Amino acid sequence: MSMSDVKKVTFKKYDIRYYVVGKVAYVCPADLVPIMALDSKDIDIEGDEALDKVEAGRKIFPYFEFFDWFSEQFDQYDYSDDVILLDPMPW
């Protein structure tokens, strides 16, 4: 997968990078940190290299405005029990 295969959406002025495998989108966890800080919320991403929409949603749920927006943006994608990590990771 090349960098051109990485997609992005923008919440306020912050980009969220993600890649898609099959019907599952995997989000860059580090991109969620500054967005959560907008609402003075912490997010634990330690050890996470990529998150599907369900795991990302669990981590961002306390910031309701962002959670609602995120849910709409990633509604078309499925979730996965197993995260598919790329080698090398695109971020």
Side-chain angles (χ1 to χ4, degrees):
M1 176 171 279
S2 68
M3 288 302 289
S4 63
D5 295 329
V6 174
K7 303 172 189 277
K8 74 175 182 174
V9 291
T10 304
F11 179 77
K12 299 193 176 182
K13 63 178 183 173
Y14 297 96
D15 290 337
I16 301 168
R17 296 168 291 171
Y18 66 98
Y19 61 88
V20 178
V21 177
K23 294 182 179 182
V24 179
Y26 296 97
V27 176
C28 175
D31 292 349
L32 304 177
V33 174
I35 297 170
M36 294 300 287
L38 293 173
D39 198 43
S40 301
K41 305 284 192 240
D42 291 328
I43 182 171
D44 179 16
I45 60 164
E46 188 172 329
D48 293 324
E49 294 185 62
L51 300 168
D52 73 0
K53 72 177 188 179
V54 172
E55 283 303 310
R58 288 181 181 139
K59 291 179 181 282
I60 66 171
F61 184 74
Y63 185 1
F64 299 118
E65 177 188 1
F66 177 44
F67 177 80
D68 287 343
W69 176 89
F70 183 91
S71 297
E72 289 178 20
Q73 297 298 309
F74 290 92
D75 184 55
Q76 74 224 32
Y77 297 108
D78 288 336
Y79 65 92
S80 176
D81 290 332
D82 299 312
V83 174
I84 298 174
L85 299 177
L86 303 179
D87 185 21
M89 288 298 288
W91 41 76

Short mmCIF file of all heavy atoms in Angstrom, two decimals, residues 8-39:
data_model
loop_
_atom_site.label_atom_id
_atom_site.label_comp_id
_atom_site.label_asym_id
_atom_site.label_seq_id
_atom_site.Cartn_x
_atom_site.Cartn_y
_atom_site.Cartn_z
N LYS A 8 -8.13 10.56 3.84
CA LYS A 8 -8.25 11.42 5.01
C LYS A 8 -9.60 12.13 5.01
O LYS A 8 -10.20 12.36 3.98
CB LYS A 8 -7.11 12.43 5.10
CG LYS A 8 -7.18 13.55 4.13
CD LYS A 8 -6.07 14.57 4.38
CE LYS A 8 -6.22 15.71 3.40
NZ LYS A 8 -5.30 16.78 3.63
N VAL A 9 -10.05 12.40 6.21
CA VAL A 9 -11.21 13.25 6.45
C VAL A 9 -10.75 14.31 7.43
O VAL A 9 -9.76 14.12 8.14
CB VAL A 9 -12.41 12.45 7.02
CG1 VAL A 9 -12.97 11.51 5.97
CG2 VAL A 9 -12.04 11.69 8.27
N THR A 10 -11.44 15.44 7.45
CA THR A 10 -11.02 16.54 8.30
C THR A 10 -12.14 16.94 9.25
O THR A 10 -13.26 17.22 8.81
CB THR A 10 -10.59 17.75 7.45
OG1 THR A 10 -9.57 17.32 6.54
CG2 THR A 10 -10.06 18.88 8.31
N PHE A 11 -11.82 16.94 10.54
CA PHE A 11 -12.74 17.42 11.58
C PHE A 11 -12.19 18.74 12.07
O PHE A 11 -11.07 18.80 12.57
CB PHE A 11 -12.83 16.42 12.74
CG PHE A 11 -13.74 16.88 13.85
CD1 PHE A 11 -15.11 16.80 13.71
CD2 PHE A 11 -13.22 17.40 15.02
CE1 PHE A 11 -15.95 17.21 14.74
CE2 PHE A 11 -14.05 17.81 16.05
CZ PHE A 11 -15.43 17.72 15.91
N LYS A 12 -13.00 19.79 11.88
CA LYS A 12 -12.54 21.14 12.15
C LYS A 12 -11.28 21.33 11.32
O LYS A 12 -11.33 21.19 10.11
CB LYS A 12 -12.41 21.41 13.63
CG LYS A 12 -13.78 21.25 14.32
CD LYS A 12 -13.84 21.76 15.70
CE LYS A 12 -15.27 21.61 16.23
NZ LYS A 12 -15.46 22.11 17.54
N LYS A 13 -10.14 21.58 11.89
CA LYS A 13 -8.93 21.75 11.06
C LYS A 13 -7.99 20.55 11.15
O LYS A 13 -6.88 20.59 10.63
CB LYS A 13 -8.19 23.02 11.48
CG LYS A 13 -7.67 22.99 12.90
CD LYS A 13 -6.89 24.24 13.24
CE LYS A 13 -6.34 24.11 14.65
NZ LYS A 13 -5.46 25.19 15.00
N TYR A 14 -8.43 19.47 11.74
CA TYR A 14 -7.56 18.31 11.98
C TYR A 14 -7.86 17.17 11.02
O TYR A 14 -9.01 16.73 10.91
CB TYR A 14 -7.70 17.83 13.43
CG TYR A 14 -7.25 18.87 14.42
CD1 TYR A 14 -8.16 19.72 15.02
CD2 TYR A 14 -5.91 19.01 14.73
CE1 TYR A 14 -7.74 20.69 15.92
CE2 TYR A 14 -5.48 19.97 15.63
CZ TYR A 14 -6.40 20.81 16.22
OH TYR A 14 -5.97 21.77 17.11
N ASP A 15 -6.81 16.69 10.36
CA ASP A 15 -6.95 15.57 9.45
C ASP A 15 -6.90 14.25 10.22
O ASP A 15 -6.14 14.10 11.18
CB ASP A 15 -5.81 15.56 8.42
CG ASP A 15 -5.93 16.70 7.42
OD1 ASP A 15 -7.05 17.23 7.23
OD2 ASP A 15 -4.90 17.06 6.83
N ILE A 16 -7.69 13.31 9.76
CA ILE A 16 -7.68 11.94 10.29
C ILE A 16 -7.35 11.04 9.11
O ILE A 16 -8.12 10.95 8.15
CB ILE A 16 -9.04 11.55 10.89
CG1 ILE A 16 -9.42 12.50 12.01
CG2 ILE A 16 -9.01 10.10 11.37
CD1 ILE A 16 -10.86 12.36 12.46
N ARG A 17 -6.19 10.39 9.19
CA ARG A 17 -5.77 9.49 8.12
C ARG A 17 -6.32 8.09 8.38
O ARG A 17 -6.44 7.67 9.53
CB ARG A 17 -4.24 9.44 8.06
CG ARG A 17 -3.61 10.77 7.68
CD ARG A 17 -2.13 10.77 7.92
NE ARG A 17 -1.90 10.73 9.37
CZ ARG A 17 -0.72 10.53 9.93
NH1 ARG A 17 0.35 10.35 9.19
NH2 ARG A 17 -0.59 10.52 11.25
N TYR A 18 -6.63 7.40 7.30
CA TYR A 18 -7.10 6.02 7.41
C TYR A 18 -6.82 5.28 6.11
O TYR A 18 -6.62 5.89 5.06
CB TYR A 18 -8.57 5.96 7.78
CG TYR A 18 -9.53 6.47 6.73
CD1 TYR A 18 -10.18 5.59 5.87
CD2 TYR A 18 -9.81 7.83 6.59
CE1 TYR A 18 -11.08 6.04 4.91
CE2 TYR A 18 -10.70 8.29 5.64
CZ TYR A 18 -11.32 7.39 4.80
OH TYR A 18 -12.20 7.84 3.85
N TYR A 19 -6.77 3.97 6.23
CA TYR A 19 -6.65 3.12 5.05
C TYR A 19 -7.77 2.09 5.11
O TYR A 19 -8.35 1.84 6.17
CB TYR A 19 -5.27 2.46 4.94
CG TYR A 19 -4.89 1.55 6.09
CD1 TYR A 19 -5.22 0.19 6.08
CD2 TYR A 19 -4.19 2.05 7.19
CE1 TYR A 19 -4.85 -0.64 7.13
CE2 TYR A 19 -3.82 1.22 8.24
CZ TYR A 19 -4.15 -0.12 8.21
OH TYR A 19 -3.80 -0.94 9.25
N VAL A 20 -8.09 1.53 3.97
CA VAL A 20 -9.20 0.59 3.88
C VAL A 20 -8.69 -0.76 3.38
O VAL A 20 -7.95 -0.83 2.40
CB VAL A 20 -10.29 1.13 2.92
CG1 VAL A 20 -11.44 0.14 2.79
CG2 VAL A 20 -10.80 2.48 3.39
N VAL A 21 -9.07 -1.81 4.08
CA VAL A 21 -8.80 -3.19 3.67
C VAL A 21 -10.15 -3.89 3.59
O VAL A 21 -10.85 -4.00 4.60
CB VAL A 21 -7.86 -3.92 4.66
CG1 VAL A 21 -7.67 -5.37 4.22
CG2 VAL A 21 -6.53 -3.20 4.79
N GLY A 22 -10.50 -4.32 2.39
CA GLY A 22 -11.84 -4.89 2.20
C GLY A 22 -12.87 -3.81 2.43
O GLY A 22 -12.85 -2.78 1.78
N LYS A 23 -13.74 -4.03 3.41
CA LYS A 23 -14.77 -3.03 3.74
C LYS A 23 -14.51 -2.39 5.10
O LYS A 23 -15.40 -1.77 5.68
CB LYS A 23 -16.14 -3.69 3.74
CG LYS A 23 -16.57 -4.18 2.38
CD LYS A 23 -17.96 -4.77 2.43
CE LYS A 23 -18.39 -5.23 1.05
NZ LYS A 23 -19.74 -5.77 1.04
N VAL A 24 -13.29 -2.56 5.61
CA VAL A 24 -12.95 -2.05 6.95
C VAL A 24 -11.95 -0.89 6.83
O VAL A 24 -10.93 -1.03 6.16
CB VAL A 24 -12.36 -3.17 7.83
CG1 VAL A 24 -12.00 -2.63 9.21
CG2 VAL A 24 -13.34 -4.32 7.94
N ALA A 25 -12.28 0.22 7.47
CA ALA A 25 -11.37 1.37 7.51
C ALA A 25 -10.58 1.32 8.82
O ALA A 25 -11.14 1.04 9.88
CB ALA A 25 -12.15 2.68 7.44
N TYR A 26 -9.28 1.56 8.73
CA TYR A 26 -8.40 1.59 9.90
C TYR A 26 -7.86 3.00 10.06
O TYR A 26 -7.23 3.54 9.15
CB TYR A 26 -7.27 0.59 9.75
CG TYR A 26 -7.77 -0.84 9.70
CD1 TYR A 26 -7.97 -1.49 8.51
CD2 TYR A 26 -8.07 -1.51 10.89
CE1 TYR A 26 -8.44 -2.79 8.47
CE2 TYR A 26 -8.55 -2.81 10.86
CZ TYR A 26 -8.73 -3.44 9.65
OH TYR A 26 -9.20 -4.72 9.62
N VAL A 27 -8.11 3.58 11.22
CA VAL A 27 -7.79 4.97 11.52
C VAL A 27 -6.44 5.07 12.23
O VAL A 27 -6.09 4.21 13.03
CB VAL A 27 -8.90 5.56 12.42
CG1 VAL A 27 -8.60 6.98 12.85
CG2 VAL A 27 -10.24 5.49 11.72
N CYS A 28 -5.73 6.17 11.97
CA CYS A 28 -4.48 6.46 12.67
C CYS A 28 -4.81 6.99 14.07
O CYS A 28 -5.38 8.07 14.20
CB CYS A 28 -3.67 7.49 11.90
SG CYS A 28 -2.18 8.01 12.76
N PRO A 29 -4.47 6.25 15.12
CA PRO A 29 -4.82 6.68 16.48
C PRO A 29 -4.22 8.02 16.88
O PRO A 29 -4.87 8.81 17.56
CB PRO A 29 -4.27 5.56 17.38
CG PRO A 29 -4.08 4.40 16.49
CD PRO A 29 -3.81 4.95 15.12
N ALA A 30 -3.01 8.30 16.44
CA ALA A 30 -2.35 9.56 16.81
C ALA A 30 -3.12 10.77 16.29
O ALA A 30 -3.08 11.84 16.90
CB ALA A 30 -0.92 9.58 16.29
N ASP A 31 -3.86 10.61 15.20
CA ASP A 31 -4.64 11.72 14.66
C ASP A 31 -5.84 12.07 15.53
O ASP A 31 -6.40 13.16 15.41
CB ASP A 31 -5.12 11.39 13.24
CG ASP A 31 -3.97 11.30 12.24
OD1 ASP A 31 -2.84 11.70 12.57
OD2 ASP A 31 -4.22 10.83 11.11
N LEU A 32 -6.23 11.17 16.41
CA LEU A 32 -7.38 11.42 17.28
C LEU A 32 -7.01 12.25 18.51
O LEU A 32 -7.87 12.91 19.10
CB LEU A 32 -8.00 10.09 17.73
CG LEU A 32 -8.42 9.14 16.61
CD1 LEU A 32 -8.94 7.84 17.21
CD2 LEU A 32 -9.46 9.78 15.71
N VAL A 33 -5.75 12.22 18.89
CA VAL A 33 -5.30 12.88 20.13
C VAL A 33 -5.58 14.39 20.13
O VAL A 33 -6.20 14.90 21.06
CB VAL A 33 -3.81 12.58 20.41
CG1 VAL A 33 -3.30 13.38 21.60
CG2 VAL A 33 -3.62 11.08 20.65
N PRO A 34 -5.15 15.14 19.11
CA PRO A 34 -5.41 16.59 19.16
C PRO A 34 -6.88 16.95 19.08
O PRO A 34 -7.31 17.97 19.62
CB PRO A 34 -4.63 17.15 17.96
CG PRO A 34 -4.37 15.99 17.07
CD PRO A 34 -4.37 14.77 17.94
N ILE A 35 -7.67 16.10 18.43
CA ILE A 35 -9.11 16.37 18.36
C ILE A 35 -9.75 16.19 19.72
O ILE A 35 -10.57 17.00 20.14
CB ILE A 35 -9.77 15.46 17.30
CG1 ILE A 35 -9.20 15.78 15.92
CG2 ILE A 35 -11.28 15.62 17.33
CD1 ILE A 35 -9.59 14.82 14.84
N MET A 36 -9.37 15.14 20.43
CA MET A 36 -9.92 14.92 21.77
C MET A 36 -9.52 16.05 22.70
O MET A 36 -10.28 16.44 23.59
CB MET A 36 -9.47 13.58 22.32
CG MET A 36 -10.02 12.38 21.56
SD MET A 36 -11.82 12.30 21.57
CE MET A 36 -12.10 11.82 23.27
N ALA A 37 -8.33 16.61 22.50
CA ALA A 37 -7.87 17.72 23.34
C ALA A 37 -8.73 18.97 23.16
O ALA A 37 -8.80 19.80 24.07
CB ALA A 37 -6.41 18.03 23.03
N LEU A 38 -9.41 19.10 22.02
CA LEU A 38 -10.30 20.24 21.81
C LEU A 38 -11.39 20.31 22.88
O LEU A 38 -11.86 21.39 23.22
CB LEU A 38 -10.96 20.16 20.43
CG LEU A 38 -10.06 20.32 19.21
CD1 LEU A 38 -10.86 20.04 17.94
CD2 LEU A 38 -9.46 21.72 19.17
N ASP A 39 -11.78 19.16 23.37
CA ASP A 39 -12.83 19.08 24.39
C ASP A 39 -12.24 18.67 25.74
O ASP A 39 -12.95 18.15 26.60
CB ASP A 39 -13.91 18.07 23.96
CG ASP A 39 -15.20 18.24 24.73
OD1 ASP A 39 -15.65 19.39 24.93
OD2 ASP A 39 -15.78 17.21 25.14
#
